[in-house]
Structure formats: C-alpha cells, structure tokens
Amino acid sequence: GDSVTQMEGPVTLSEEAFLTINCTYTATGYPSLFWYVQYPGEGLQLLLKATKADDKGSNKGFEATYRKETTSFHLEKGSVQVSDSAVYFCALSSRAQKLVFGQGTRLTINP
Amino acid sequence: DVKVTQSSRYLVKRTGEKVFLECVQDMDHENMFWYRQDPGLGLRLIYFSYDVKMKEKGDIPEGYSVSREKKERFSLILESASTNQTSMYLCASSSARGRGKNEQYFGPGTRLTVT
C-alpha cells in the first residue's frame, strides 16, 4: 500500500540555518503531496502542496519540489526562525482522497 | 475563514465508559475524517466518511465507531474506553471536488486520557 517515510527527528538548528527535512513516498498512480505543520497545542495546518510531478509548492519561505523520478518531496527553507519550531508531517493523497502521513519530524530552532 | 471545531480540547474518562468526540465543520465539505496521533507513529486513520450516513473503516477502526447524521457533523464513539485509547484525536474535513488534490483541514484536537 501507499506509504511515506520521513527523516527521523528531532532536528535542532540555530536561527538562520538552512533546513532540509527529507520525505520519500511509495504509491501507485500519481498522488498529490503535502507538508503539514503542527505548532505546540494546535491541530495540523497545511504548509504547502504539489499535485503533479515537477510542481514546486512554497509558503512562508518553505519550498518542496515533487520529484517523481526519486519519489521524493523534501522540505527546505533557507533561513529558519525560532517561530518555525514545530512538528512537520509529509503526506500523500491518492484518488481515494485519504491522506497517508509520515511519522513527523520535530524541529527546534535555538536563538 | 475555514473552521473545524472539536467539542473538547481535553477529556479524562474512566476505563469502560462510553466516550463521544464531536467534530463540526463549516465549509460544506463532503469528506470527514478521524485520526489518532501518537508519538513516533504519526497520524493513523480511524474512520472516514464521504457523505451523510456513509462511513468507511480506516487503518485502525477496532474499538471505535462513528456517526454522521448531518453533513457538517462527524462523531467518534469509543464504546468502552480502554487505557490504550489514551491519545490525541484529530478531526479533519475536505472537499470531494478535484479528487485527491484537495488538502484536509484539521481541528485543534482532543487529548483524551483514559484512567
């Protein structure tokens, strides 16, 4: 079945560092891909998405490119801030409209 | 602004009690979902619904049931709560248009503790 594998955390960085969180997937067909973020004490919020190969999703300085050849959707940000501290989830959605999530990566940014 | 609300943020119940978790969305979405979130396991789908009165089992339906009598409301029921159901429960909704391309919108979650 469909699955998502994320880079294991926790990840700790200093402010202004470059961030990469790896995400790879296994799916039949052509899924849509998502990154969600969960701030402490809150539900999940959509960060960005891509619905077809080579699409780049971007939001709040974060970017991810849908790479069909490597079945990947890595999350990147050029300069992180303390306010980016959160748990990040990679997910895919098939035509069945269900989301399959990775296990989540906890990110902590130190000032 | 889109909104998914859940009836409680925190809930403490005793083993064997019947527990109801309510979820309401105001976006006229067809699809609604219940997940549980546990550390290291990500989110796991319990049940989902594509329409009123319809329900489908997710990956971990055992010990749970659901009810969808109105389009905007999706209830999760723990028939007889057990300590291994202590978890964070998240509700979500999405539009059926553009099949599979639409994001899900999440509620704030209910942290349930069963003692």
Side-chain angles (χ1 to χ4, degrees):
Chain A
D2 297 348
S3 67
V4 174
T5 303
Q6 265 182 257
M7 171 175 164
E8 281 199 32
V11 174
T12 303
L13 297 172
S14 297
E15 206 165 21
E16 299 183 3
F18 184 87
L19 169 71
T20 300
I21 301 178
N22 290 338
C23 172
T24 57
Y25 67 90
T26 302
T28 53
Y30 303 95
S32 293
L33 301 173
F34 304 84
W35 277 101
Y36 281 85
V37 60
Q38 185 178 34
Y39 299 104
E42 298 184 13
L44 274 68
Q45 302 174 24
L46 178 70
L47 183 58
L48 54 82
K49 73 176 187 181
T51 58
K52 61 182 187 296
D54 300 323
D55 264 3
K56 179 188 280 189
S58 61
N59 186 24
K60 299 181 181 180
F62 291 90
E63 293 183 341
T65 301
Y66 187 163
R67 301 284 188 202
K68 185 167 175 291
E69 63 277 11
T70 55
T71 61
S72 65
F73 193 54
H74 305 320
L75 183 68
E76 296 182 335
K77 186 175 186 183
S79 177
V80 293
Q81 307 299 313
V82 172
S83 57
D84 293 327
S85 298
V87 181
Y88 292 81
F89 292 93
C90 185
L92 68 81
S93 175
S94 65
R95 285 182 61 83
Q97 303 179 67
K98 297 186 288 182
L99 285 178
V100 175
F101 287 88
Q103 71 271 36
T105 303
R106 182 174 298 278
L107 174 66
T108 301
I109 307 300
N110 294 322
Chain B
D1 209 11
V2 298
K3 203 147 189 175
V4 179
T5 56
Q6 296 183 228
S7 50
S8 305
R9 292 298 301 269
Y10 300 93
L11 211 51
V12 179
K13 296 291 182 182
R14 293 194 180 277
T15 301
E17 278 194 83
K18 191 168 186 175
V19 181
F20 293 87
L21 302 182
E22 302 279 329
C23 175
V24 178
Q25 51 95 3
D26 66 359
M27 295 163 282
D28 201 35
H29 283 166
E30 294 81 8
N31 306 327
M32 296 189 75
F33 306 84
W34 275 106
Y35 297 90
R36 64 176 283 176
Q37 181 181 8
D38 300 288
L41 297 177
L43 275 74
R44 293 178 292 168
L45 183 63
I46 305 171
Y47 266 96
F48 60 103
S49 169
Y50 290 140
D51 202 350
V52 177
K53 306 271 189 194
M54 290 182 62
K55 59 185 178 184
E56 301 268 352
K57 291 181 180 179
D59 301 317
I60 52 163
E62 296 77 20
Y64 303 95
S65 62
V66 290
S67 172
R68 193 165 181 202
E69 296 296 320
K70 294 185 177 181
K71 189 176 185 180
E72 67 271 18
R73 188 179 298 270
F74 193 36
S75 302
L76 180 69
I77 303 153
L78 286 66
E79 296 290 342
S80 177
S82 64
T83 54
N84 63 13
Q85 293 179 309
T86 291
S87 187
M88 170 72 88
Y89 290 87
L90 291 165
C91 176
S93 71
S94 69
S95 171
R97 287 188 295 274
R99 294 178 62 84
K101 297 185 190 300
N102 295 326
E103 62 267 34
Q104 292 182 13
Y105 294 86
F106 283 81
T110 296
R111 186 166 293 283
L112 172 68
T113 302
V114 182
T115 62

